[in-house]
Amino acid sequence: MAAITARISSFFGRVPRWVYIVAVLAFAIAFPMLEYFGLMQTLWLRVGTRALVYVLLAVGLNLVLGETGLLHLGYVAFFAVGAYTTAILSSPRFDIQWNFWVIIAIAMGLAMLFGFLIGVPTLRLRGDYLAIVTLAFGEITRMTLNNWEGLTNGPGGIPGIYPPQIFGWTVDSPAEFFYLLLVTVVIVVWLLNNLKNSRIGRAWNALREDEIAAHHAGVGPTRAKMLAVVMSSGIAGLAGAIFAYYQQFINPTYFLFMQSVIVVSMVVIGGMGSIPGAILGAVVLDTTPEIIRQTFTSWLPAAIGPDFLPGVQAAMQTEFDRYRMAIFGLVIVLMVVFRPEGLLPNKLWRREMHEEDPRELEKTGQHLFDFEEGTQDLEV
Amino acid sequence: MAEVILEVRSATKNFGGLKAVNNLSFDLHKGEIVSLIGPNGSGKTTTFNLITGLYEPDSGDILMQGESIAGLKPGQIYARGISRTFQMLRLFSNMSVLENVLVGMHGRTKANVIDCMFRTPRMRREEEASIVRAREILAMFPGRFPLARHTQPAASLSYANRRRLEIARALAGEPRLLLLDEPVAGMNPAESMEVMRQIRDLRDAGYTILMIEHDMNVIMGASDRVIAMDHGIKIAEGAPVDVANDPAVVEAYLGRRGADTAS
Ligand SMILES: Nc1ncnc2c1ncn2[C@@H]1O[C@H](COP(=O)(O)OP(=O)(O)O)[C@@H](O)[C@H]1O
Ligand SMILES: [Mg+2]
């Protein structure tokens, strides 16, 4: 079993990375066209669009959780800050429609400011304080949104958010939002990937691996962590701003603690500290419940007959949200048991390509693993 | 005598009632290898921690090239030209061998967030230079870090190579003073001799080295001077042979060994 898995992953490992990138991008670009040509229900386009919002959140949180190793439990609060920025500045609520770019800048700037304010007291201290304070901040944010009726209209939320105008392009259909988000994801991922492969990304990783050693190697822990927290807050703000435009209506129930937990799960399941992992984790966790629902309510009944488990069908239709969380829990338990390192763990591709390629080893006469004392090293 | 690079002046560090380092003073001169010896628990690692800023001395002062560094953070002390290795290895296990060395250059490189996000030409130039330098440093351990090993995780290295990698990471900071905490711990005699030669090469290349060591062959073979500690106090200082034969030193080791057997 292990041997088979190893061979499969070694095969996939030898495919150059750009092939994956091109394939994934090609699929993403073609995806809305499936709907346009009637090959796919609009439902799936909506699922895909929402998945892209989660992808933004997952790659953003990965910066803190995966790359820097800090537990952050209130990520949805920064998402909410971005979403309410859009809702307040581009809706009938105050009868204003500010420019898209200005709103994005304010959303990101505000989220980053909050990230900074939370970082100041917590990042100097040991790890767990950030988790506790972010958790509290998430709840405070939601309560503020619920109670500051003059600004947010409380639990009633803000309806009728105006669509964004980007260089004269009015973004107002699911397909257009899908493309807007896709471009955003590509830019954000490109920038984050550059950062990851730089002295700053290495400093984050070093802090995650061993903070004391990193500090002795000249990495200022507080500054580097602050940068990660502020940047990931900005990405959540950006995701929130676009999400509000897309959703056209938001209220505080979109920003429950559970959402933070879901994004954490996406990063963990994808593989902490791996950008492809975060992307895959977001897509898998966002689409799996929907796929299961469709399996029971439409695909299986269509294949087997409309009276296929009518009780399950009814339950899936009316009470799906409860099952959704159960499915999440199940996926997480399965992952922890069978693949704790995540779906696409950190650096898998690179290691596969460089170390496990037998030709490479032959060339250099090196073995995959360095041997312990008394065996290999003695002979050298 | 060459110029003084590091001065420890009456440094004291208490842990509760325990005086781990007690009124300790010594100088290091440019280009010498000094061994810090003493029984376990005599305060050697704590001395390192005081010099590198992990702890702040309760009293006394530490001067690097004439300027006080007591109370500075480890990152700031690194910037003054002091790098170290750890008794209990502290590598970045899930990062590659090369990345471990590159992290050692963090404080010597300048690319900012914007440079790194957009991979500006300035950043790429610096990055390339860093990688070239990191490979040079790894090549200072002949045969130990061939190219294929550079991309392997540090955790996959043998114990001896992990010790070497820690030295490489410390060298990446381009330090003037190198603190090595038990650099040959856990190595066999042949490997110990190899590391000893390397330490001498480093001195000849201009580094000043303070090392904590237990291995008598390494201490005798590599050090220009030896400082012996017991119970946080300096009990002897001088040429290796003199310190090794100093009655107080013999007493400290024998006395402690007796106590160890008893417990
Ligand atoms: N962080 C600490 N907290 C409490 N006691 C410590 C700490 N670090 C070291 N000590 C104590 O200080 C003494 C000196 O330790 P150390 O400097 O590690 O000795 P050495 O390196 O010479 O073996 C020991 O008794 C040790 O238990
Ligand atoms: Mg020690």
Side-chain angles (χ1 to χ4, degrees), chain A residues 182-262:
Chain A
L182 185 61
V183 170
T184 311
V185 165
V186 167
I187 293 171
V188 167
V189 165
W190 176 65
L191 295 176
L192 290 183
N193 191 55
N194 285 346
L195 264 182
K196 188 181 164 75
N197 297 305
S198 74
R199 64 189 282 276
I200 292 175
R202 288 191 295 265
W204 286 334
N205 293 166
L207 285 172
R208 177 193 66 200
E209 298 289 313
D210 190 324
E211 179 166 339
I212 288 177
H215 202 175
H216 278 94
V219 176
T222 311
R223 266 189 70 162
K225 288 180 191 171
M226 184 62 92
L227 183 64
V229 167
V230 166
M231 290 198 66
S232 81
S233 303
I235 295 169
L238 171 68
I242 300 177
F243 173 76
Y245 275 125
Y246 168 61
Q247 205 66 22
Q248 294 170 0
F249 162 73
I250 56 165
N251 71 15
T253 63
Y254 284 105
F255 310 104
L256 303 180
F257 172 61
M258 209 56 224
Q259 292 293 323
S260 296
V261 175
I262 288 172

Side-chain angles (χ1 to χ4, degrees), chain A residues 214-357:
Chain A
H215 202 175
H216 278 94
V219 176
T222 311
R223 266 189 70 162
K225 288 180 191 171
M226 184 62 92
L227 183 64
V229 167
V230 166
M231 290 198 66
S232 81
S233 303
I235 295 169
L238 171 68
I242 300 177
F243 173 76
Y245 275 125
Y246 168 61
Q247 205 66 22
Q248 294 170 0
F249 162 73
I250 56 165
N251 71 15
T253 63
Y254 284 105
F255 310 104
L256 303 180
F257 172 61
M258 209 56 224
Q259 292 293 323
S260 296
V261 175
I262 288 172
V263 182
V264 169
S265 313
M266 288 168 169
V267 174
V268 172
I269 282 176
M272 300 239 270
S274 152
I275 295 175
I279 295 172
L280 188 65
V283 171
V284 166
L285 269 199
D286 184 56
T287 55
T288 306
E290 200 56 47
I291 289 170
I292 291 177
R293 167 155 70 170
Q294 290 298 314
T295 307
F296 283 102
T297 60
S298 101
W299 296 335
L300 283 181
I304 299 168
D307 51 349
F308 168 78
L309 295 178
V312 175
Q313 285 191 45
M316 286 274 178
Q317 239 132 25
T318 55
E319 293 183 86
F320 185 64
D321 273 346
R322 264 199 238 162
Y323 293 96
R324 203 170 126 88
M325 292 326 295
I327 293 165
F328 259 77
L330 187 68
V331 172
I332 291 167
V333 169
L334 288 177
M335 283 297 303
V336 169
V337 172
F338 292 107
R339 205 175 158 87
E341 75 274 29
L343 293 171
L344 287 177
N346 188 15
K347 284 184 196 156
L348 174 87
W349 282 338
R350 220 174 69 194
R351 267 182 219 162
E352 293 282 346
M353 278 190 289
H354 291 283
E355 274 82 48
E356 288 187 334
D357 187 341

